[in-house]
């Protein structure tokens, strides 16, 4: 051993060591009285936390928590004499302002987390904390303290970061109670028919290709698979994918593209495809059908460019077709009747 350690050991005497017969000498003392004092403060003043007491006594929170636990269980426990003196000198009234001065009310944060969990599935407190960039245990403790009626507050920076989370990314997804397994299958196949590979869909949905494959084979979606398909549908269904191979395979299997469905029918098992079945076949477009599809897609929130991309139609060709209707109206002819088609009430994207 080093000379310094050897020197300090030689200076020790039995009087410096704690013992049942000789008392607690040296730098250590029995922790019972100090722990009883701390426990009374914590019971009488719930606003005071163990971490605040430990900080005031210049102790680590883990040391104080362990001492409290041992004394409560009746196990012998010693702490540094200086720490015991500081603990016994503490007054809860002096601690409460220090525990509140750097915090804000936690109620708005707790309510915001509750609203996120009501709006999204797979929205655990840990996941929300990760998206907000805060410590999960900090957020969990604030929520638990609020539920227990304690008003310890939360740090302003933590509160600001959590309140700034307006939306959650995959694998969390907005609750869609009417979504069915057959609807999810139609969405997944529709994305493939649009030219998106399973790898691209999995990436957009925050999952793996295996998860999507397992769902498609089983026909029954887990919450994570459901969220992944809905997230992929929301991000990709408004534009053609880059994979011609995916399109060809989907066509060979007679999978319907997204435009074959509207939001009201896609989840109904007995529903039949409607609307534009295949994008990019501009030679089959009529002015009336194009106007119907454009009005429908614009109604879902897509702009002109996105609508044409969804239809696989060039802007010049679209203007040429729609000009025929405008010319007919200018010459006093009523526009031709639109083809019959169920009109959805809201957007395609989940």
């Amino acid at each position: 051993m080093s000379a310094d350690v050897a020197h300090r050991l030689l200076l020790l005497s039995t009087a410096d060591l704690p013992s049942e017969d000789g008392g607690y000498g040296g730098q250590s003392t029995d922790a019972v009285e100090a722990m009883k004092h701390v426990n009374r403060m914590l019971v009488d003043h719930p606003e005071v936390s163990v971490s605040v007491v430990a900080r005031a006594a210049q102790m680590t929170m883990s040391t104080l928590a362990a001492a409290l636990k041992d004394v409560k269980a009746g196990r012998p426990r010693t702490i540094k004499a200086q720490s015991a003196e500081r603990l016994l000198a503490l007054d809860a009234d002096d601690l409460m302002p220090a525990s509140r001065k750097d915090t804000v009310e936690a109620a708005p944060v707790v309510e915001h987390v509750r609203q996120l969990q009501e709006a999204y599935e797979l929205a655990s407190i840990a996941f929300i904390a990760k998206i907000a960039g805060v410590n999960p245990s900090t957020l969990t403790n604030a929520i638990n303290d609020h539920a227990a009626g304690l008003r310890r507050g939360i740090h302003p920076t933590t509160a600001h970061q959590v309140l700034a989370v307006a939306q959650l990314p995959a694998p969390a997804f907005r609750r869609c109670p009417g979504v069915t397994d057959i609807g999810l299958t139609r969405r997944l196949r529709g994305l493939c028919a649009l030219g998106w590979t399973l790898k691209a869909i999995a990436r957009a949905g925050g999952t793996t290709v295996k998860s999507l494959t397992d769902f498609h084979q089983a026909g029954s979606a887990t919450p994570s698979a459901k969220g992944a398909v809905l997230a992929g549908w929301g991000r990709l269904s408004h534009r053609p994918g880059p994979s011609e191979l995916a399109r060809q395979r989907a066509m060979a299997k007679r999978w319907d593209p997204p435009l074959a469905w509207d939001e009201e029918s896609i989840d109904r098992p007995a529903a039949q495809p409607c609307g534009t079945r295949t994008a990019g076949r501009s030679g089959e477009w009529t002015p009336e059908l194009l106007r119907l599809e454009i009005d429908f897609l614009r109604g879902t929130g897509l702009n002109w460019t996105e609508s044409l991309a969804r239809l696989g139609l060039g802007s010049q060709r679209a203007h040429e077709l729609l000009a025929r209707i405008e010319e007919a109206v200018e010459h006093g002819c009523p526009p031709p009747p639109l083809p019959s088609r169920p009109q959805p009430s809201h957007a395609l994207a989940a």
Side-chain angles (χ1 to χ4, degrees):
M1 66 179 66
S2 68
D4 182 58
V5 173
H7 177 71
R8 282 183 288 169
L9 288 173
L10 290 171
L11 291 177
L12 282 176
S13 66
T14 54
D16 296 321
L17 303 176
S19 66
E20 187 174 352
D21 297 329
Y24 295 92
Q27 297 182 343
S28 298
T29 187
D30 189 3
V32 173
E33 291 303 318
M35 293 306 105
K36 287 182 178 179
H37 177 65
V38 171
N39 191 58
R40 281 194 297 269
M41 287 194 298
L42 296 176
V43 171
D44 295 341
H45 301 276
E47 301 88 350
V48 177
S49 66
V50 174
S51 61
V52 169
V53 176
R55 189 161 54 244
Q58 301 178 27
M59 301 173 63
T60 64
M61 187 178 71
S62 60
T63 299
L64 179 56
L68 284 168
K69 183 178 179 180
D70 284 347
V71 170
K72 183 178 180 180
R75 291 189 291 268
R77 181 77 188 200
T78 63
I79 58 174
K80 289 182 178 180
Q82 288 183 339
S83 297
E85 292 174 4
R86 294 192 192 103
L87 288 172
L88 290 169
L90 290 178
D91 188 291
D93 292 334
D94 297 329
L95 293 175
M96 283 190 290
S99 68
R100 298 287 298 180
K101 66 181 181 180
D102 61 345
T103 64
V104 296
E105 176 58 46
V109 175
V110 174
E111 176 62 18
H112 185 63
V113 171
R114 183 191 66 79
Q115 291 176 354
L116 286 173
Q117 291 187 309
E118 286 185 353
Y120 287 85
E121 294 195 47
L122 299 183
S124 65
I125 294 175
F127 183 72
I128 294 172
K130 177 183 177 182
I131 300 304
V134 303
N135 190 312
S137 62
T138 299
L139 183 57
T140 300
N141 290 338
I143 293 173
N144 291 341
D145 287 348
H146 186 270
L150 307 181
R151 296 294 181 265
R152 293 174 182 163
I154 191 169
H155 194 276
T157 302
T158 302
H160 175 74
Q161 289 176 244
V162 175
L163 291 172
V165 178
Q167 296 180 332
L168 296 178
F173 60 97
R174 289 198 174 273
R175 295 187 183 276
C176 304
V179 172
T180 61
D181 286 334
I182 185 64
L184 293 171
T185 299
R186 289 166 176 169
R187 287 176 174 88
L188 182 59
R189 291 178 175 181
L191 292 175
C192 294
L194 205 56
W196 294 104
T197 63
L198 286 181
K199 184 177 181 179
I201 299 170
R203 184 166 55 248
T207 189
T208 63
V209 172
K210 184 179 185 303
S211 175
L212 296 180
T213 302
D214 290 345
F215 155 64
H216 192 261
Q217 291 176 346
S220 179
T222 63
S224 60
K226 178 182 178 182
V229 174
L230 290 176
W233 178 262
R235 295 179 181 180
L236 306 176
S237 65
H238 67 281
R239 63 184 191 273
S243 174
E244 183 60 32
L245 179 59
R247 266 189 292 271
Q248 293 297 329
R249 287 178 174 175
M251 185 179 298
K253 296 177 181 179
R254 303 181 65 82
W255 288 352
D256 297 299
L259 285 174
W261 306 100
D262 59 48
E263 190 66 14
E264 292 184 350
S265 67
I266 193 169
D267 289 298
R268 294 203 304 264
Q272 296 298 317
C274 62
T276 303
R277 301 294 298 275
T278 305
R281 301 178 65 178
S282 58
E284 298 180 5
W285 286 105
T286 65
E288 296 75 34
L289 179 58
L290 178 59
R291 191 180 76 173
L292 174 67
E293 296 295 347
I294 290 292
D295 289 346
F296 168 57
L297 292 174
R298 294 298 295 273
T300 69
L302 302 183
N303 60 32
W304 169 263
T305 303
E306 290 171 335
S307 298
L308 292 184
R310 179 73 170 265
L311 298 170
L313 191 62
S315 179
Q316 181 178 351
R317 175 60 175 159
H319 282 297
E320 290 175 354
L321 288 166
L322 295 178
R324 298 181 192 176
I325 297 178
E326 296 174 1
E327 290 174 2
V329 174
E330 289 177 359
H331 287 83
C333 301
L338 296 177
S340 61
R341 170 185 175 182
Q343 289 299 310
S345 59
H346 50 285
L348 281 173

